[in-house]
């Protein structure tokens, strides 16, 4: 199990270390050369979001982790839009949104599996929480310890929250 986890972390860190911004830009150039308006429009929209975040960042350019977070949010928005289009019987538009999700997902590293999240949360809980401690106060300590070990772009924050709450209930 430990070897498997090390392989996952090694794969994820090598993925994060590659310059996601450069990959997006390169793919945009290829799409423009191939006159692929679908891909170029999708990639331009995400690159525009990244550039807007760059302007708001005091360091001028945001890091790979923030870029991955922006892409994850963009895919989530498109998934939500696809669901709304299906409800409205606009299957053509839903399909377009799904294709955009597929394109953007190719730039994302895989999320940590639930079992690894649980293991890391348990470690944080063992280190940070004393028996009988206020669960609200304990959860803050757990999140801080967890996210000091794990990049936020590599996990689903809703899943982390649900798992932490479940583990805290079982810990009391």
């Amino acid at each position: 199990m430990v070897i498997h986890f090390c392989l996952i972390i090694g794969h994820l860190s090598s993925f994060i270390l590659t310059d996601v911004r450069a990959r997006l830009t390169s793919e945009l150039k290829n799409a423009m050369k191939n006159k692929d308006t679908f891909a170029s429009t999708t990639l331009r929209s995400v690159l525009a979001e990244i550039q807007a975040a760059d302007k708001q960042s005091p360091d001028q350019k945001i890091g790979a982790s923030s870029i991955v977070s922006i892409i994850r949010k963009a895919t989530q928005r498109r998934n939500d839009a696809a669901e709304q289009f299906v409800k409205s019987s606009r299957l053509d538009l839903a399909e377009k949104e799904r294709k955009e999700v597929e394109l953007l997902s190719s730039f994302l590293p895989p999320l940590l599996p639930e079992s690894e999240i649980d293991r890391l949360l348990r470690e944080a809980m063992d280190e940070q929480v004393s028996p009988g401690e206020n669960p609200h106060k304990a959860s803050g300590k757990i999140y801080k310890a967890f996210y000091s070990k794990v990049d936020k772009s590599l996990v689903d924050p809703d899943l982390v929250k649900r798992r932490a709450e479940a583990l805290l209930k079982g810990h009391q």
Side-chain angles (χ1 to χ4, degrees):
M1 182 66 148
V2 172
I3 294 172
H4 177 66
F5 179 69
C6 291
L7 290 174
I8 289 173
I9 294 299
H11 173 68
L12 293 176
S13 63
S14 67
F15 187 92
I16 290 295
L17 292 177
T18 61
D19 192 0
V20 180
R21 183 189 311 262
R23 285 185 52 218
L24 284 165
T25 305
S26 174
E27 287 298 318
L28 174 60
K29 288 177 184 175
N30 288 338
M32 290 169 64
K33 284 179 187 175
N34 296 328
K35 299 187 186 319
D36 182 353
T37 56
F38 170 77
S40 63
T41 303
T42 303
L43 294 173
R44 279 183 181 163
S45 71
V46 171
L47 283 167
E49 288 182 56
I50 292 168
Q51 288 172 344
D54 284 342
K55 289 179 183 177
Q56 292 184 359
S57 173
D59 300 334
Q60 192 66 351
K61 288 199 174 196
I62 59 174
S65 176
S66 297
I67 292 172
V68 169
S69 294
I70 288 170
I71 297 171
R72 283 203 197 285
K73 288 176 187 171
T75 57
Q76 183 60 46
R77 280 195 311 272
R78 284 165 173 81
N79 277 326
D80 294 344
E83 288 177 25
Q84 293 301 317
F85 286 133
V86 167
K87 288 178 184 175
S88 301
S89 300
R90 294 297 311 265
L91 301 179
D92 55 327
L93 296 175
E95 184 61 28
K96 177 188 171 284
E97 296 291 334
R98 287 189 187 116
K99 285 181 181 179
E100 288 182 11
V101 167
E102 186 178 321
L103 173 65
L104 294 176
S105 294
S106 68
F107 295 94
L108 294 173
L111 293 172
L112 276 180
E114 187 173 333
S115 60
E116 296 303 323
I117 291 172
D118 282 353
R119 187 182 69 75
L120 291 167
L121 284 170
R122 277 192 209 97
E123 281 180 14
M125 194 178 301
D126 292 342
E127 295 168 2
Q128 302 295 324
V129 180
S130 55
E133 188 172 353
N134 178 345
H136 182 69
K137 190 175 181 180
S139 65
K141 289 179 180 180
I142 292 170
Y143 293 135
K144 186 175 181 179
F146 177 82
Y147 285 118
S148 71
K149 296 178 184 179
V150 178
D151 190 304
K152 286 184 179 183
S153 67
L154 299 177
V155 294
D156 175 4
D158 294 330
L159 176 62
V160 172
K161 183 178 180 182
R162 285 194 311 271
R163 296 307 306 147
E165 289 171 355
L167 290 172
L168 271 172
K169 284 182 184 175
H171 190 267
Q172 292 177 345

